[in-house]
């Protein structure tokens, strides 16, 4: 997921990528949170049940969110969102 702060360039705020398998390969491994945006998941596993993830964005002003889904190749990947929520204090 990408966020644009004050309508500027989109900046990554959340990513899910395949983790490294026991063989050191990312092919067909469990999806995990990509904590440093290097296209490899090292964080929490993305499971089949809905899980809440929270990302702090410390900015006051106009924000645009862009959800980008790419690099799905095998035909059996599932993507689901339930309640994308942006909250904060009014300025």
């Amino acid at each position: 997921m990408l966020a644009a702060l004050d309508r500027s360039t989109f900046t990554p705020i959340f990513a899910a990528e395949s983790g490294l398998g026991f063989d050191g390969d990312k092919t067909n491994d469990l999806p995990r949170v990509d904590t440093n945006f290097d296209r490899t998941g090292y964080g929490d596993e993305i499971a089949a049940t809905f899980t809440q993830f929270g990302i702090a964005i410390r900015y006051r002003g106009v924000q645009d969110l862009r959800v980008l889904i790419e690099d799905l190749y095998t035909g059996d990947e599932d993507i689901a969102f339930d309640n994308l929520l942006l909250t904060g204090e009014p300025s």
Side-chain angles (χ1 to χ4, degrees):
M1 183 173 305
L2 306 170
L5 307 179
D6 198 20
R7 301 181 188 213
S8 62
T9 304
F10 281 92
T11 303
I13 60 171
F14 181 84
E17 300 283 351
S18 180
L20 287 177
F22 291 112
D23 59 359
D25 188 3
K26 294 188 339 176
T27 305
N28 292 328
D29 203 66
L30 298 172
R32 296 185 176 278
V33 175
D34 181 359
T35 55
N36 62 358
F37 306 108
D38 69 349
R39 301 190 61 88
T40 300
Y42 295 104
D44 293 336
E45 179 182 332
I46 308 293
T49 58
F50 279 107
T51 304
Q52 182 174 337
F53 295 97
I55 299 101
I57 303 172
R58 302 199 192 295
Y59 180 80
R60 291 181 179 223
V62 176
Q63 295 184 3
D64 297 318
L65 294 178
R66 179 188 298 174
V67 176
L68 183 65
I69 300 170
E70 59 186 358
D71 299 331
L72 302 178
Y73 299 114
T74 64
D76 64 349
E77 291 100 349
D78 297 320
I79 304 292
F81 298 99
D82 181 38
N83 198 15
L84 295 177
L85 182 64
L86 181 63
T87 63
E89 299 294 322
S91 56

